[in-house]
Amino acid sequence: MEKQIIDDKIKELFVSSRVIALVGASKKKEKDSNIVMKFLQKSGYKVIPVNPTCVNETIHGERVYGTLLDIKEKVDIVDVFRPSVETVDIANQTKEIGAHVLWLQLNIENDKAKEIAIKNKIYYIANKCTKIEFQKLFGII
């Protein structure tokens, strides 16, 4: 697919989405997931952190959930900071909660997760950072 078409679709997904579940959220301020979560919040999104090691704690003012299935509100984008091998289960959870985007961060890809997403009409984005793409597409440095 042509790069411009892909960029236009990603921009459209950012514009039409309001709630992002961030799987692999970290309380450590130096971690990429923590930095990206804070950036997305400042960009106007509600970001729900998911990390089974710190359930019910808070990261950037948001309660942490153990899995996507524990979240009770509608999620638009599932943003994944976990190893590729874990993404099949995350793709299945994404389907279960009705999110319309499965976004795997830099260096994360999985053909089976992609297959699950596409079969269930979920947009699959892999090996891209939400923060970098947002900054590029909306001209923010």
Side-chain angles (χ1 to χ4, degrees):
M1 194 178 280
E2 187 182 320
K3 183 184 179 330
Q4 186 59 50
I5 293 170
I6 294 169
D7 284 352
D8 289 349
K9 184 60 190 178
I10 290 173
K11 190 170 186 177
E12 176 188 316
L13 292 171
F14 273 127
V15 169
S16 65
S17 299
R18 296 289 20 115
V19 180
I20 300 172
L22 199 143
V23 180
S26 176
K27 294 176 73 172
K28 297 178 182 171
K29 298 200 181 314
E30 69 277 5
K31 292 283 200 171
D32 290 340
S33 63
N34 188 287
I35 294 164
V36 169
M37 180 176 174
K38 190 171 185 175
F39 173 84
L40 292 171
Q41 285 178 314
K42 286 185 176 186
S43 299
Y45 297 94
K46 175 170 180 138
V47 184
I48 302 170
V50 177
N51 185 329
T53 67
C54 52
V55 174
N56 292 327
E57 295 181 39
T58 60
I59 300 175
H60 297 302
E62 292 289 340
R63 177 179 171 229
V64 180
Y65 291 86
T67 72
L68 292 171
L69 303 177
D70 298 329
I71 300 170
K72 300 301 178 221
E73 64 188 283
K74 174 78 174 100
V75 172
D76 300 307
I77 297 173
V78 174
D79 190 6
V80 182
F81 284 86
R82 297 299 303 151
S84 297
V85 69
E86 294 181 25
T87 60
V88 172
D89 185 45
I90 295 167
N92 283 316
Q93 289 183 37
T94 299
K95 173 184 73 169
E96 289 295 315
I97 67 168
H100 61 267
V101 180
L102 175 62
W103 189 308
L104 308 183
Q105 285 287 331
L106 293 171
N107 303 312
I108 306 171
E109 297 183 67
N110 185 300
D111 288 339
K112 180 69 175 159
K114 179 179 182 179
E115 183 182 305
I116 292 165
I118 291 170
K119 180 180 173 187
N120 290 283
K121 297 179 174 58
I122 298 167
Y123 290 101
Y124 174 85
I125 301 167
N127 196 26
K128 289 185 182 286
C129 174
T130 45
K131 179 178 182 284
I132 292 169
E133 294 301 308
F134 188 94
Q135 289 172 316
K136 177 182 78 173
L137 295 170
F138 293 94
I140 298 167
I141 304 281

